[in-house]
Amino acid sequence: MGESEGRQSSRSPETHAEPHAVAAVFGDRLSLQTWALATFDVALFVLVTVLAGHASGALADLLGGLSTLVGAAVFCVLWALFVLAVGWVRSRVELSASLWTLALHGFAAGAMAGVAFLSGLVAVLAVRSIVGGLVSRTATLSAVGGVALILLLGVAVASAVGGVIGLLVGVLDGLCVRLADRVLTVSASDR
Amino acid sequence: MGALTSLAMRTLHVLTVTVLVGGSAAAWYGYRSGAVTGLAAAGRFEWLFWTGVGALVLTGVGNLGALGPPGPTTDWGRTLLVKLTLVVALVCGSAIRTMVVVRAREAARPVADGGREIDAGQDNEDRDSPSAGPDNDDRDSPSADPHRTVLSKSYGATTGLLVVLVVLAEVLAHG
């Protein structure tokens, strides 16, 4: 388990199979598997959240406070974080490794992504807060103190939430690969 | 500004669906008829497909926010619930389909020099270069042909589900 089930090769063949336009932007760092699974994960995450919000009747409130551009920016940040998280996991373990291994790596990647998301959020809010403080000549020190407190408490929450999401996503991605292998096996045996 | 952003979101949403339905239908017909036999075409389409899915979710949620969706107990709300559930099914099924393409390509990996992998950069050039020509597909064909039926069915199901989603979107937009 663990690294023993890790990557046999750091350069899988489809890692280099991206079209030239994508390769020009990401070089060799992004593979179809990473791109597809990360997009699958972020799409599922958002869809399940929206579905749950709609089913509970809270969707209008949930989306009401978010402008279209801010919502789009948040989605793009989430998308990028999922790509980085899936890429990080894939650089360490094969997706055919045990689900337990994938869950642990997914938890670690998710926790890091959660903290990164929170850090970005706090950074944006902090800039606004500090600039506001400077303009209105209120105590900037208290604004910084507030930000630090939020960051301290938020890191624990964000890493836990991100970790749980990463764990689920890691298992889900592993199951996708297993199902695909099953489909190919059945397809080959039908010939 | 807000109205313009909403219009841009709706336009991108419709254009993306057009690309996904057209691309899936073309892939289905290509693999079904045998006009396409290689895995390279599927690999390229999967890049486009997932980029489109990301754009669809982004613009779809943006549209919902702009509309201010009514509660789930209304007819509109129930239709939206069905549509969202089908989108989840589409995304999950497509993830498995893409992994089938990825794993089949891995299985078709050419080896040379006593098992040493062919230079991956060259492999990329051969597989995905627009100038690679029909030889590209020919090289994939020994392993792609066995999977033609699977790919044909997968893209067919994807197209069917996308068309159902388009119909539901029409119902949501026009009743």
Side-chain angles (χ1 to χ4, degrees):
Chain A
M1 196 174 283
E3 294 304 317
S4 63
E5 288 179 284
R7 301 187 62 75
Q8 294 160 355
S9 164
S10 62
R11 307 183 82 194
S12 62
E14 53 84 32
T15 298
H16 306 278
E18 62 267 30
H20 292 294
V22 179
V25 177
F26 294 100
D28 286 347
R29 288 167 293 180
L30 187 63
S31 68
L32 172 60
Q33 197 172 38
T34 301
W35 181 244
L37 287 177
T39 310
F40 162 61
D41 295 339
V42 74
L44 197 61
F45 172 68
V46 171
L47 285 168
V48 167
T49 306
V50 168
L51 202 52
H54 180 57
S56 66
L59 187 62
D61 294 335
L62 193 75
L63 297 175
L66 208 63
S67 83
T68 306
L69 285 179
V70 171
V74 169
F75 181 84
C76 288
V77 169
L78 277 177
W79 199 354
L81 286 174
F82 271 86
V83 169
L84 291 172
V86 171
W88 184 83
V89 171
R90 283 199 64 231
S91 69
R92 277 154 183 79
V93 286
E94 293 285 353
L95 289 173
S96 51
S98 75
L99 291 180
W100 176 245
T101 304
L102 290 175
L104 286 180
H105 280 80
F107 184 89
M112 286 189 282
V115 172
F117 182 75
L118 178 80
S119 303
L121 206 65
V122 170
V124 170
L125 293 176
V127 168
R128 185 182 293 178
S129 174
I130 290 167
V131 168
L134 283 171
V135 169
S136 63
R137 296 178 184 277
T138 56
T140 308
L141 201 63
S142 66
V144 173
V147 168
L149 188 67
I150 292 170
L151 197 62
L152 210 62
L153 294 171
V155 161
V157 176
S159 57
V161 172
V164 170
I165 293 168
L167 184 147
L168 294 173
V169 156
V171 171
L172 210 58
D173 291 353
L175 287 174
C176 277
V177 172
R178 279 161 175 74
L179 278 169
D181 286 344
R182 181 72 62 86
V183 168
L184 287 172
T185 307
V186 170
S187 159
S189 64
D190 282 348
R191 274 188 290 145
Chain B
M1 178 65 185
L4 203 63
T5 310
S6 289
L7 181 65
M9 284 283 174
R10 282 202 300 275
T11 306
L12 185 59
H13 195 75
V14 171
L15 286 176
T16 308
V17 169
T18 308
V19 169
L20 293 193
V21 173
S24 300
W28 165 73
Y29 180 75
Y31 282 109
R32 191 172 190 275
S33 65
V36 180
T37 54
L39 289 163
R44 284 182 188 179
F45 176 66
E46 295 299 341
W47 277 98
L48 183 70
F49 182 87
W50 285 104
T51 307
V53 166
L56 265 188
V57 173
L58 189 158
T59 53
V61 176
N63 288 340
L64 270 180
L67 281 170
T73 51
T74 61
D75 281 348
W76 200 92
R78 275 191 289 272
T79 309
L80 178 65
L81 205 61
V82 172
K83 190 188 173 197
L84 287 172
T85 308
L86 284 179
V87 175
V88 169
L90 173 78
V91 167
C92 290
S94 296
I96 297 166
R97 184 200 66 229
T98 305
M99 289 309 109
V100 166
V101 173
V102 168
R103 302 295 273 182
R105 288 182 70 138
E106 284 178 357
R109 173 170 43 185
V111 287
D113 297 341
R116 186 180 67 81
E117 285 178 31
I118 283 179
D119 176 63
Q122 181 62 40
D123 188 34
N124 182 30
E125 289 293 319
D126 289 348
R127 282 172 183 266
D128 288 323
S129 168
S131 61
D135 287 349
N136 188 22
D137 281 353
D138 288 347
R139 198 179 68 178
D140 274 336
S141 61
S143 68
D145 279 335
H147 307 309
R148 240 184 66 197
T149 312
V150 175
L151 291 175
S152 161
K153 285 179 181 171
S154 302
Y155 287 120
T158 305
T159 308
L161 203 46
L162 279 166
V163 169
V164 172
L165 285 168
V166 168
V167 172
L168 285 173
E170 286 179 66
V171 172
L172 286 172
H174 303 291

